[in-house]
Amino acid sequence: MRTHITNGRLIDPKNGIDATLDLFIADGRIAAIGKAPAGFTAEHTLDARGLVVCPGLVDLSTRLSGIETELAAAVAGGVTSLACPPDTSPPLDEPGLVERLVRRSAAAGLARVYPIGALTTQLAGERLAEMHTLNRAGCIGFSQAKKPIPDRLVLLRAMQYATTFGYAIRLQPQDHQIAADGVAHDGEVASRLGLTGIPVCAETVAIASSLELARATGASLHLARISSAAGIALIRAAQQAKMAVTCDVSIYHLHLSDSDIGFFDSNARFDPPLRSAADRDALRAAVAAGVAAISSDHTPVDEDGKQLPFAEAAPGATALELLLPLTLQWARETATPLPVALARITCDSAAILGVSAGALTPGDAADICLFDPEARWQVSADALRSRGKNTPFIGREVQGRVHSTLVGGRVVFQR
């Protein structure tokens, strides 16, 4: 189908575009911007007056508790490409499991799914997974998700192997021995509530160790869900030293701190934990400066998993449908220009994943998000399509809402 999107504010951070321009789609790809290509006749027209037209959002970490349901939530949130971490059940450590995920995701016809393979068999941290066969099955990188690798020699060998074949390593930095059975940031709030704390050094020790191994092997390293000012400082220094290291911050860590735990609110339990307000502000500044991208860290949890005492509740929150409005809120509160904010959830994330997405370059797949930056709506269980309704933002009003989402030129969501 040939589609003409007209009258919208077109923002493409990768190509430096921010103007009222028409967009033309043919055969599932961007045909032209501004002026229709020769002989173009639209079969379908989308009037984007009052809307922003941007690349479909790219998310660095989405857990798919139910493929069809969560992909429907993704496109409702403007997300057209997402990475699925390997801590599925069973873990993504065999080619057949990866191929099945790819097939089921493609059959849903919604967002594009990019599997991250298990770094070690069963994510047990003992024996390297067959990275080469997993890559051939569709994995774009390798990770332990939240599982530890007790033996640093195993991680060294993993980085050596991955570097040989050009595979990316993704780690969530946390020293599990230091973190032990902690459930909240080791600070005043945890002390007052009697919760076991996780000190910042659990993150920084793991970051420093991973960076040293990456420096020794030349590995391409992504450090996921950074939560502290000290952690960001280590990564910023590594980037300034021209190391091949990237990182991301979850959207909730840009807005919340440990004080938002309130009176044992299990919806505010995260892994890594929400840290101090000073840490949150440092993360905000780092994202604005381009040191880190933004991830949703979408982790839908059923009601039973949250209706427990704080220390026993499952960590994580639903986030796909809140990624855009919460990014816009961060941008307004930090005076970050809209194109810069959108870069953190489009082209920057695509570059980290190494996938062709996050831009509106002619010839690219027409994965597009149209949203109303002024629309206000209240977050409620009924308003969320995800199976998980767990979020600290339930009952809050947010600004910015997706109007339409296109994947490969097809309208897969329209409000």
Side-chain angles (χ1 to χ4, degrees):
M1 178 178 289
R2 295 188 173 191
T3 301
H4 178 196
I5 301 177
T6 184
N7 297 322
R9 177 185 174 186
L10 194 148
I11 299 179
D12 180 1
K14 183 176 181 179
N15 292 306
I17 299 173
D18 182 3
T20 301
L21 291 169
D22 287 5
L23 183 66
F24 302 90
I25 300 168
D27 300 322
R29 298 192 172 273
I30 306 295
I33 292 174
K35 183 179 179 181
F40 183 93
T41 302
E43 300 167 78
H44 181 54
T45 299
L46 280 173
D47 187 350
R49 193 180 308 275
L51 304 178
V52 171
V53 180
C54 71
L57 311 189
V58 180
D59 188 39
L60 292 165
S61 181
T62 296
R63 287 175 170 80
L64 301 173
S65 60
I67 291 178
E68 291 78 10
T69 301
E70 301 312 316
L71 293 185
V75 295
V79 176
T80 57
S81 298
L82 56 90
C84 174
D87 53 347
T88 52
S89 181
L92 295 178
D93 65 347
E94 295 182 5
L97 297 172
V98 175
E99 290 166 353
R100 182 186 177 200
L101 173 62
V102 171
R103 282 197 307 270
R104 287 189 60 191
S105 301
L110 298 167
R112 304 178 194 273
V113 174
Y114 296 97
I116 305 296
L119 194 59
T120 61
T121 302
Q122 289 293 298
L123 295 175
E126 298 174 354
R127 184 165 59 89
L128 297 188
E130 296 290 342
M131 286 187 248
H132 184 61
T133 56
L134 289 172
N135 174 256
R136 292 181 64 183
C139 290
I140 62 167
F142 298 92
S143 171
Q144 277 294 106
K146 299 178 180 180
K147 302 295 185 180
I149 298 182
D151 187 344
R152 291 292 177 185
L153 181 59
V154 174
L155 182 54
L156 174 65
R157 297 288 182 249
M159 287 192 181
Q160 290 172 331
Y161 184 92
T163 302
T164 299
F165 290 94
Y167 303 147
I169 297 289
R170 300 164 57 86
L171 300 174
Q172 181 168 321
Q174 180 164 274
D175 186 299
H176 290 259
Q177 291 177 316
I178 295 176
D181 56 352
V183 296
H185 171 58
D186 187 18
E188 180 182 340
V189 174
S191 296
R192 174 168 50 82
L193 297 177
L195 298 172
T196 305
I198 301 176
V200 166
C201 65
E203 179 168 279
T204 55
V205 165
I207 290 174
S209 175
S210 299
L211 289 175
E212 283 303 310
L213 293 177
R215 186 178 285 110
T217 59
S220 176
L221 178 64
H222 179 77
L223 295 170
R225 264 73 72 202
I226 305 305
S227 68
S228 68
I232 278 289
L234 289 173
I235 295 167
R236 188 193 299 265
Q239 291 176 344
Q240 291 172 343
K242 307 301 181 184
M243 286 186 65
V245 58
T246 56
C247 69
D248 70 78
V249 174
S250 94
I251 190 62
Y252 285 113
H253 284 75
L254 287 185
H255 288 281
L256 305 175
S257 68
D258 58 347
S259 63
D260 290 292
I261 292 174
F263 191 67
F264 301 101
D265 181 4
S266 61
N267 280 320
R269 186 176 173 197
F270 290 90
D271 183 13
L274 298 173
R275 298 204 180 273
S276 70
D279 286 310
R280 178 200 60 204
D281 293 344
L283 298 178
R284 287 182 150 212
V287 173
V291 175
I294 300 172
S295 72
S296 79
D297 195 24
H298 177 72
T299 307
V301 178
D302 62 30
E303 188 174 352
D304 290 343
K306 284 294 185 181
Q307 296 300 319
L308 291 169
F310 186 90
E312 299 173 26
T318 190
L320 282 171
E321 295 160 88
L322 295 174
L323 179 60
L324 177 63
L326 293 185
T327 297
L328 299 180
Q329 181 177 328
W330 159 76
R332 290 192 301 271
E333 292 173 354
T334 58
T336 301
L338 182 55
V340 174
L342 291 176
R344 302 297 180 263
I345 51 175
T346 57
C347 56
D348 290 357
S349 298
I352 288 170
L353 294 177
V355 300
S356 178
L360 298 177
T361 309
D364 284 357
D367 297 349
I368 302 167
C369 170
L370 287 75
F371 69 90
D372 183 346
E374 304 300 326
R376 295 179 179 273
W377 57 284
Q378 188 175 59
V379 180
S380 67
D382 292 341
L384 299 175
R385 287 165 175 76
S386 170
R387 180 175 296 179
K389 311 298 182 183
N390 54 302
T391 168
F393 279 77
I394 287 286
R396 297 197 194 186
E397 184 180 77
V398 293
Q399 182 177 332
R401 201 169 203 190
V402 173
H403 177 276
S404 302
T405 305
L406 287 75
V407 174
R410 294 184 304 109
V411 177
V412 293
F413 172 80
Q414 194 161 37
R415 195 168 302 281

